[in-house]
């Protein structure tokens, strides 16, 4: 064969092996987050619907939250694909260290200045590329990003009940209508359980197991709704969470941490974010940084103290200006009490993301996912590039890695690799022709 002829043949092969360049339609996507759904919560409860999903789709053994294992920081990493130091949502509470003002979690949900720090959530990026998107109670969905709102957004009200099963099902019906009647492409749907029960009763309780049964029924309802609405072949679903939950340790079993035993807040601290589980920050008074650090450094065996500049890089939190000069992590189950022990939670999170109790679930099913596929654990940050690939959206610069997640897909290649394979083929054929 003449080498020119071969070259033409190979080149045409390359072109034909690039279906991405053809106009392709993408399936719709539903992201569901159950707040505080620890990775193993389905293992001591009868969950026929979740079990069925394992056969119908892909499951990760567990996934890793980002280093601040709290609702807003973690949800915002999932929807932006950015580390906490980049997206700037460093806590559930919004705060101002000069005025001392603190806004509780639900109060932040309509404060654009808290969320809009340069990292664009998927809703906005997808919208700018022509898709129709919605947030149903998902944290960060209720504000504007560079002046742009999510096309449709429902925001949790102050006193919204977390565990109303009737409402849970109604919300699924609503989302189904958005897809079928209004042709939405992407919806992020949030549920406040099992977090609420985990805090109030503790993770190892009958009440927690009961809410997992309720979630399982809701997932059964979702699967039926998808079939009834003829979305089975057109809708991919990802079910995940933001962090796990652990049992709070109390005296007299342990010596609880009470920080004013070791330092005077009045004399040393300008501002502090404490009494909120295992993660906290202190803004020392001018010139008092070393004094605070020295006072706390070896104060309690279950307390870890970092100066901002010595926070390990792999936490990916230190670079943000909202991270205060002194950062505290308590060991699993310990609360960071400041002055008095008022703390009533029986379960909590906010502890190191290395702890198994902080890991969460990941399930996915739909036309683009393999069936009966068990994935190795990965960082939740890699859900973002997966969602972009599923929707055919060009991702913003992000810290996720599609190679963590694409093994779950039926089409687990990507454009880059396809071209590489074609080039290798070309070179091999040319060489074999020369020989
Ligand atoms: C804190 O509040 C002050 C006074 O209102 C304001 O000038 C400042 O910009 C605020 N700081 C932050 C970080 O929001
Ligand atoms: C978002 O922008 C719109 C239009 O400017 C405005 O009406 C709305 O109040 C803004 N929302 C928030 C949460 O700031
Ligand atoms: C639960 O939700 C349904 C539907 O929205 C509502 O009719 C009912 O009053 C709610 N129940 C409670 C206890 O809030
Ligand atoms: C706080 O500072 C004052 C004035 O320097 C001092 O008298 C007091 O002992 C300090 N309090 C504590 C608890 O260190
Ligand atoms: C995360 O991604 C952003 C955007 O590409 C980049 O600027 C930043 O350096 C990345 N962070 C790390 C730790 O790689
Ligand atoms: Zn919580």
């Amino acid at each position: 064969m003449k080498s020119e002829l071969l070259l033409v043949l190979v080149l045409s092969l390359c072109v034909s092996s690039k279906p991405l360049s053809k106009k392709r339609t993408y399936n719709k996507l539903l992201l569901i987050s159950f707040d505080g759904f620890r990775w193993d919560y389905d293992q001591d409860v009868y969950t026929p619907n979740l079990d069925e999903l394992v056969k119908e789709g892909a499951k990760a053994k567990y996934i890793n939250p980002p280093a601040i294992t709290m609702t807003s920081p973690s949800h915002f990493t999932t929807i932006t694909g950015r580390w906490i130091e980049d997206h700037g949502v460093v806590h559930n509470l919004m705060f101002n260290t000069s005025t001392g003002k603190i806004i509780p979690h639900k109060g932040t949900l309509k404060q654009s200045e808290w969320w809009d720090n340069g990292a664009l959530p998927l809703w906005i990026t997808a919208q700018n590329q022509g898709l129709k998107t919605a947030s149903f109670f998902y944290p960060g969905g209720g504000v504007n990003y560079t002046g742009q709102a999510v096309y449709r957004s429902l925001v949790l009200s102050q006193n919204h009940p977390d565990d109303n099963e009737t409402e849970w099902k109604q919300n699924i019906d609503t989302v189904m209508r958005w897809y079928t009647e209004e042709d939405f492409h992407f919806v992020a749907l949030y549920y406040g359980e099992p977090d609420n029960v985990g805090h109030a009763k503790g993770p190892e309780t009958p009440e927690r197991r009961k809410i997992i049964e309720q979630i399982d029924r809701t997932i059964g309802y979702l699967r039926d709704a998808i079939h009834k609405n003829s979305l089975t072949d057109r809708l991919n679903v990802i079910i995940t969470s933001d962090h796990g939950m652990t049992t709070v340790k109390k005296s007299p079993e342990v010596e609880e941490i009470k920080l004013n035993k070791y330092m005077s807040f009045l004399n040393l601290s300008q501002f502090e974010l404490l009494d909120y589980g295992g993660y906290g920050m202190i803004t020392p008074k001018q010139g008092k940084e070393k004094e605070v650090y020295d006072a706390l450094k070896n104060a309690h065996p279950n307390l870890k103290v970092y100066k901002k500049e010595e926070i390990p890089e792999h936490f990916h939190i230190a670079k943000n200006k909202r991270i205060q000069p002194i950062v505290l992590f308590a060991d699993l189950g310990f609360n960071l009490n400041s002055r008095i022990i008022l703390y009533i939670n029986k379960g909590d999170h906010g502890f190191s993301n290395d702890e198994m109790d902080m890991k969460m679930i990941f399930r996915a099913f739909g036309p683009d996912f393999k069936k009966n596929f068990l994935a190795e654990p990965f960082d939740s940050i890699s859900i973002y590039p997966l969602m972009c690939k599923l929707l055919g959206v060009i991702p913003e610069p992000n810290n996720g890695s599609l190679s963590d997640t694409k093994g779950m897909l039926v089409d687990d290649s990507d454009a880059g690799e396809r071209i590489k394979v074609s080039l290798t083929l070309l070179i091999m054929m040319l060489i074999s022709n020369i020989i």
Side-chain angles (χ1 to χ4, degrees), residues 11-31:
L11 282 175
S12 64
L13 240 171
C14 288
V15 171
S16 68
S17 73
K18 260 176 71 187
L20 282 183
S21 61
K22 279 191 242 153
K23 183 94 184 141
R24 196 193 122 189
T25 55
Y26 292 87
N27 291 306
K28 296 171 185 292
L29 176 62
L30 172 60
L31 171 70

Side-chain angles (χ1 to χ4, degrees), residues 267-271 283-292:
N267 285 8
L268 298 179
S269 170
Q270 180 193 316
F271 176 83
T283 317
K285 285 192 171 158
Q286 187 103 48
K288 300 292 185 189
E289 222 163 277
K290 189 177 181 320
E291 224 173 304
V292 173

Side-chain angles (χ1 to χ4, degrees), residues 127-150:
Q127 239 163 243
N128 289 338
Q129 294 178 33
L131 303 194
K132 207 165 168 183
T133 70
S135 164
F136 200 127
F137 295 162
Y138 194 97
V143 304
N144 294 335
Y145 296 90
T146 57
Q148 199 184 347
V150 182

Side-chain angles (χ1 to χ4, degrees), residues 352-405:
S352 163
N353 60 352
D354 284 338
E355 294 285 354
M356 283 311 290
D357 276 1
M358 294 300 105
K359 316 277 187 193
M360 64 261 192
I361 55 158
F362 182 93
R363 306 293 168 87
F365 64 100
D368 291 323
F369 284 97
K370 288 178 183 163
K371 296 195 190 318
N372 212 355
F373 185 84
L374 183 64
E376 290 304 312
F378 56 86
D379 292 340
S380 63
I381 203 159
S382 293
I383 297 173
Y384 174 84
L386 175 70
M387 294 194 291
C388 290
K389 180 170 164 80
L390 288 166
L391 288 168
V393 164
I394 301 161
E396 298 288 334
N398 68 87
N399 307 110
S401 167
L402 189 58
S403 60
D404 285 349
T405 41

Side-chain angles (χ1 to χ4, degrees), residues 145-264:
Y145 296 90
T146 57
Q148 199 184 347
V150 182
Y151 180 79
R152 179 159 307 152
S153 173
L154 301 178
V155 177
L156 270 176
S157 63
Q158 243 2 288
N159 50 2
H160 191 91
D162 280 319
D163 61 351
N164 185 338
E165 188 169 358
T166 313
E167 186 224 322
W168 286 11
K169 291 175 178 166
Q170 283 177 351
N171 296 353
I172 286 172
D173 294 338
T174 302
V175 169
M176 291 300 124
R177 278 198 303 277
W178 289 354
Y179 286 121
T180 55
E181 292 171 15
E182 299 187 69
D183 202 24
F184 273 81
H185 299 97
F186 171 58
V187 180
L189 171 62
Y190 167 88
Y191 290 103
E193 295 286 7
D195 186 69
N196 190 43
V197 161
H199 284 299
K201 307 289 178 180
E204 318 305 337
T205 57
E207 290 89 347
R208 187 275 294 167
R209 287 188 277 274
K210 216 168 135 239
I211 205 81
I212 297 302
E213 285 172 2
Q214 180 172 323
I215 288 174
D216 189 67
R217 285 194 297 277
T218 305
I219 287 169
Y221 186 85
L222 167 72
R223 289 174 57 228
D224 290 346
I226 289 171
H227 292 308
K228 274 191 207 134
N229 284 283
S230 309
L231 286 165
T232 312
D233 301 324
R234 293 192 288 143
L235 177 68
N236 292 303
V237 181
I238 292 173
I239 297 173
T240 188
S241 184
D242 51 351
H243 52 70
M245 186 70 68
T246 198
T247 302
V248 166
K249 297 184 168 84
K250 298 263 188 191
S251 63
E253 279 73 38
V254 298
E255 191 204 334
E256 289 184 65
I257 299 170
K258 193 154 121 3
L259 294 166
N260 73 347
K261 242 177 97 173
Y262 316 112
M263 66 172 271
S264 158

